[in-house]
Amino acid sequence: MARTNKTQFAVLGCLSIRPMSAYEIKHFMQGTTHYFWMEHEAQLYPTLSKLHDAKFVSCREEEAEKSGIRKIYKITAKGKSALTEWLIKSEEPVSYRNEFLLKLFFGDKVDTKFMRKKIETYAASLSQELHLFEHLIDELHSVKVSEKRRFFIEATIRYGIKSKQAEIAWCHETQAMLKKLK
Amino acid sequence: MARTNKTQFAVLGCLSIRPMSAYEIKHFMQGTTHYFWMEHEAQLYPTLSKLHDAKFVSCREEEAEKSGIRKIYKITAKGKSALTEWLIKSEEPVSYRNEFLLKLFFGDKVDTKFMRKKIETYAASLSQELHLFEHLIDELHSVKVSEKRRFFIEATIRYGIKSKQAEIAWCHETQAMLKKLK
DNA sequence: GGTCGCATGTAAACTGTTACATGATTTT
DNA sequence: AAAATCATGTAACAGTTTACATGCGACC
């Protein structure tokens, strides 16, 4: 079974919010979906071309802010139905990889102090991410969107907050247990 | 900056437990690290060849159980120091992708009932994974390993349990909030 | 004069996944 | 007789990431 390319749906999703250029999509993702979905420019440009060829998006060129042209893409009816179809469909399972856990699994191969340090660093980065989520929630208050739209944006942020909190709790618990070990 | 291939370290890690063949490594991972790390055979065989060329592992051939030969790889001193170096090093940030959250983010584009159903299905798969972890903890009691080794194996499983519990709690919370919405 | 932001893209390398290919033994 | 397990691997493709390339305007 072939893997279906999800980049196209991420792009269609963004364009369902409002028409955007490739550059804008990148910045939009950076500000909203970056903690669960991010695309590289090298994927965005060819994906938009393909979506345009397939009539999922239309394209309008306008003067760029500083120089040259800017290609604004807009989702078509065909694109919208493709997006809806994907939204409703169930996800194919994907393999999740966590390098930190992989190292931890082999943690007995090195001195305990290294793993204590590793968990500490990991906890610190989790806290930073958690702060970012709390900032995103604050930001959301000042954004003008429909109640329904707001609900789903907030749901993804709450997901991030709950996950990070659980992971941070695990870090503390594990550090405490490590101290008792040996 | 070049990405470092982590497959080789996952393999070296497995071989630090005991000498294994490619086939055994796959089954070992399936039984232990599968929920945070998994490799395909098509990656394992060439990776082992490369590790052998680089003198990180040695190879001994023996009669296979059923037919042909079986190549048993053993980590060398050089391989051990490479593994240790990687274990201590900090992780490069990698992009995490979650198709479920991506869909949820655009959830306002479809009728609420579809997203309710989606969260329900997601919660069910999380519960199943949680049961698997609890089973892994049980299994761990009957495995003979050092106290330190056991600690780190258990830590990765506890991580899984805590994460899944938090996600399940999020599902319930979000379902309840969805009911109130409109 | 150099860097940053806006804005487009291409090329190459690498990684990951699926499918294919082989062959013996054991179980259903 | 067919399917599963043990055991090796290759080929082809799809997807991801890095680096490169271009050019203007604004700011320091």
Side-chain angles (χ1 to χ4, degrees):
Chain A
M1 207 199 296
R3 287 158 295 182
T4 47
N5 177 11
K6 284 148 220 154
T7 296
Q8 51 180 317
F9 298 112
V11 168
L12 284 177
C14 292
L15 297 179
S16 79
I17 312 275
R18 58 179 160 83
M20 287 186 231
S21 68
Y23 189 80
E24 277 181 284
I25 290 171
K26 214 208 155 177
H27 287 261
F28 175 79
M29 285 187 170
Q30 214 126 50
T32 52
T33 69
H34 74 97
Y35 58 97
F36 57 84
W37 207 271
M38 203 52 222
E39 295 288 349
H40 290 259
E41 289 176 3
Q43 291 275 91
L44 284 177
Y45 287 99
T47 298
L48 280 162
S49 293
K50 271 176 224 159
L51 286 172
H52 190 236
D53 291 347
K55 301 264 165 72
F56 286 153
V57 299
S58 64
C59 179
R60 174 173 59 85
E61 299 191 3
E62 68 172 39
E63 286 288 311
E65 264 181 56
K66 295 195 174 162
S67 76
I69 50 137
R70 202 156 79 119
K71 294 183 181 175
I72 312 286
Y73 294 92
K74 187 178 173 180
I75 193 165
T76 61
K78 203 179 163 190
K80 274 181 191 171
S81 64
L83 176 65
T84 304
E85 205 186 300
W86 169 75
L87 280 172
I88 290 168
K89 206 173 62 180
S90 65
E91 296 79 49
E92 329 161 13
V94 282
S95 66
Y96 160 73
R97 282 182 160 193
N98 187 323
E99 191 183 359
F100 169 75
L101 286 185
L102 184 62
K103 286 184 180 180
L104 196 82
F105 186 78
F106 300 120
D108 61 308
K109 305 296 162 203
V110 292
D111 195 291
T112 307
K113 68 169 183 240
F114 291 115
M115 286 299 128
R116 265 212 297 266
K117 184 79 195 144
K118 186 158 286 302
I119 295 168
E120 196 185 301
T121 309
Y122 194 67
S125 74
L126 288 168
S127 291
Q128 220 176 326
E129 288 174 74
L130 187 60
H131 273 106
L132 189 102
F133 289 136
E134 280 154 2
H135 176 70
L136 281 176
I137 286 279
D138 286 347
E139 233 177 25
L140 189 59
H141 293 312
S142 53
V143 178
K144 266 201 286 182
V145 285
S146 73
E147 197 193 352
K148 195 179 173 189
R149 174 103 202 94
R150 185 184 303 276
F151 176 86
F152 287 106
I153 297 174
E154 207 201 308
T156 63
I157 304 173
R158 269 192 301 103
Y159 185 99
I161 291 174
K162 285 236 163 186
S163 301
K164 297 300 160 195
Q165 281 173 342
E167 288 174 77
I168 290 168
W170 172 89
C171 286
H172 294 330
E173 184 185 289
T174 305
Q175 290 284 38
M177 286 169 86
L178 248 180
K179 266 179 201 159
K180 277 188 223 163
L181 180 79
K182 189 197 62 75
Chain B
M1 208 198 295
R3 288 159 293 182
T4 47
N5 176 11
K6 284 147 219 152
T7 297
Q8 53 180 315
F9 297 113
V11 168
L12 284 176
C14 292
L15 297 179
S16 79
I17 313 273
R18 59 179 160 83
M20 285 185 232
S21 68
Y23 188 81
E24 278 180 282
I25 290 172
K26 214 208 154 179
H27 287 261
F28 175 79
M29 285 187 170
Q30 215 126 49
T32 54
T33 69
H34 75 98
Y35 58 96
F36 57 84
W37 208 272
M38 202 54 221
E39 295 289 349
H40 290 260
E41 290 175 2
Q43 291 276 91
L44 284 177
Y45 287 100
T47 298
L48 280 164
S49 293
K50 273 177 222 158
L51 287 172
H52 190 236
D53 292 346
K55 302 264 164 73
F56 285 153
V57 299
S58 63
C59 179
R60 174 173 59 85
E61 298 190 4
E62 67 171 41
E63 286 289 311
E65 264 181 56
K66 293 191 177 168
S67 77
I69 50 138
R70 201 156 80 119
K71 294 184 181 176
I72 312 288
Y73 293 93
K74 188 178 173 179
I75 193 165
T76 62
K78 203 180 164 189
K80 275 180 192 173
S81 66
L83 176 66
T84 304
E85 206 186 299
W86 168 75
L87 280 172
I88 290 167
K89 206 173 62 181
S90 66
E91 296 77 51
E92 330 162 11
V94 282
S95 65
Y96 160 72
R97 283 181 160 194
N98 188 324
E99 192 183 358
F100 168 75
L101 285 185
L102 184 62
K103 286 184 180 181
L104 196 83
F105 187 78
F106 300 121
D108 61 306
K109 306 296 161 204
V110 292
D111 195 291
T112 307
K113 68 169 183 239
F114 292 115
M115 287 298 127
R116 266 212 297 266
K117 184 79 195 143
K118 186 159 287 301
I119 295 167
E120 196 186 301
T121 309
Y122 193 68
S125 72
L126 289 169
S127 291
Q128 221 177 325
E129 287 174 74
L130 187 59
H131 273 105
L132 190 100
F133 289 136
E134 281 155 3
H135 177 69
L136 282 176
I137 287 279
D138 286 346
E139 234 178 24
L140 189 60
H141 293 312
S142 54
V143 178
K144 266 201 289 184
V145 285
S146 73
E147 197 194 353
K148 196 178 173 189
R149 175 103 202 95
R150 184 184 304 274
F151 176 85
F152 286 106
I153 297 174
E154 207 202 308
T156 63
I157 303 173
R158 268 193 301 104
Y159 185 99
I161 291 175
K162 284 236 164 189
S163 301
K164 296 301 159 194
Q165 281 173 343
E167 287 174 79
I168 290 168
W170 172 89
C171 286
H172 294 330
E173 184 184 289
T174 304
Q175 289 285 39
M177 286 169 85
L178 248 179
K179 266 179 201 159
K180 277 187 223 162
L181 180 79
K182 190 199 58 79

